[in-house]
Amino acid sequence: MPFEYARNLTGRRRTRHGNRQLGLWLAFNAGAANAGGFLAVQQYTSHMTGIVSSMADNLVLGATDLALGGLGALLSFLFGAMCSTIMINISRRRHMHSQYALPLALEAVLLLCFGVLGAQMMAVPGLFVPLTVMLLCFIMGLQNAMVTKLSNSEVRTTHVTGTVTDIGIELGKLIYVNRLQRPGEKPVRANRERLLINSLLVCCFFIGGVSGAFGFKYFGFLATVPLAGALLFFALVPMWDDLRLSWTLWRRKR
């Protein structure tokens, strides 16, 4: 059932399988928003490594305006992560089913705004950068913090550096030859399950990037609307569960 599937993806009760399934969806989403967004705003927004490095380069080269632009993108990503954390912690304290769905719903709404109003927002100045860049960085920070918290840092979706590193580690273990083991010494064994999921995450990010770039090339900002619709569907089921529970409790108190 689609609703049960959405509940397993974004509901309060977490499983490793659900975390990884959601991670694959969000990796696709991040790849699409990052690669497609580049065609719209001429800047990648899902990872801060390059942005911080460009800030340092531009500062040394005297391009203060570009350095400040990087700062605006960095702060937007930071505020997105903060916002996600605050929403999750408040929801956890209230034992809500939608503690992870609420940041996802906010991400969907912001993506929808980007898709519908992106062309007009390009001309609106933000914090040293156009509002569109701030919005995409905020979205990526929001998503990265959400999936990091629900998976206890096991799954990352907005960048692939750490994921590719993990793949390399497991491949190194896989081809390592265990020889002359000492008593009590454990043999080196690759975690094939971890290798598989990390490989799938990178593939989903890449496929999302191709889809996002294709969509932005031919449909412009509206290419983000299907992404927003899918995220909103996943988020609405746990939110509906909370509304239904609140209605039931209210009826009992009457």
Side-chain angles (χ1 to χ4, degrees):
M1 292 290 292
F3 293 105
E4 191 61 31
Y5 178 69
R7 187 175 289 111
N8 291 333
L9 282 186
T10 59
R12 180 178 61 188
R13 296 179 180 177
R14 305 308 310 162
T15 63
R16 176 171 290 185
H17 179 72
N19 291 344
R20 291 175 174 178
Q21 287 288 314
L22 180 60
L24 295 177
W25 278 104
L26 293 182
F28 177 92
N29 180 76
N34 193 44
F38 179 81
L39 298 183
V41 302
Q42 287 73 56
Q43 182 173 328
Y44 292 116
T45 55
S46 72
H47 55 284
M48 294 296 104
T49 306
I51 289 177
V52 173
S53 296
S54 68
M55 287 171 57
D57 289 339
N58 290 321
L59 196 60
V60 171
L61 294 173
T64 309
D65 56 335
L66 295 178
L68 288 175
L71 178 62
L74 176 65
L75 291 176
S76 300
F77 191 98
L78 178 66
F79 291 151
M82 291 170 57
C83 179
S84 182
T85 303
I86 291 170
M87 294 175 73
I88 291 171
N89 287 335
I90 291 175
S91 302
R92 278 181 178 175
R93 191 176 62 213
R94 297 180 178 179
H95 305 289
M96 296 173 65
H97 292 281
S98 58
Q99 56 188 245
Y100 301 113
L102 289 176
L104 205 63
L106 177 58
E107 178 182 349
V109 170
L110 294 178
L111 266 179
L112 192 60
C113 291
F114 180 82
V116 175
L117 304 174
Q120 291 84 352
M121 293 169 63
M122 283 291 293
V124 179
L127 185 62
F128 313 123
V129 288
L131 189 59
T132 47
V133 176
M134 289 188 63
L135 186 60
L136 283 177
C137 288
F138 183 92
I139 287 171
M140 291 296 99
L142 189 78
Q143 175 177 309
N144 199 40
M146 185 271 290
V147 76
T148 299
K149 287 185 70 66
L150 72 83
S151 69
N152 294 316
S153 302
E154 183 188 34
V155 177
R156 300 293 179 112
T157 60
T158 63
H159 55 280
V160 299
T161 304
T163 307
V164 172
T165 302
D166 290 338
I167 292 173
I169 291 172
E170 298 305 329
L171 286 175
K173 292 179 181 179
L174 190 65
I175 65 174
Y176 180 81
V177 178
N178 292 283
R179 293 178 178 174
L180 302 174
Q181 288 179 238
R182 298 171 183 172
E185 186 178 39
K186 293 182 178 180
V188 176
R189 293 284 185 266
N191 187 332
R192 296 173 184 269
E193 185 182 9
R194 188 179 185 187
L195 177 60
L196 175 61
I197 190 63
N198 282 325
S199 300
L200 289 174
L201 285 169
V202 174
C203 289
C204 285
F205 191 94
F206 176 75
I207 295 170
V210 172
S211 302
F214 180 88
F216 267 90
K217 180 179 179 181
Y218 292 101
F219 303 104
F221 289 95
L222 290 176
T224 60
V225 174
L227 298 176
L231 294 180
L232 194 59
F233 171 73
F234 294 149
L236 283 178
V237 176
M239 293 170 66
W240 170 252
D241 290 340
D242 280 330
L243 287 174
R244 187 173 56 181
L245 179 60
S246 298
W247 172 255
T248 301
L249 292 175
W250 181 79
R251 289 287 300 272
R252 289 177 180 176
K253 291 179 181 179
R254 291 188 63 184

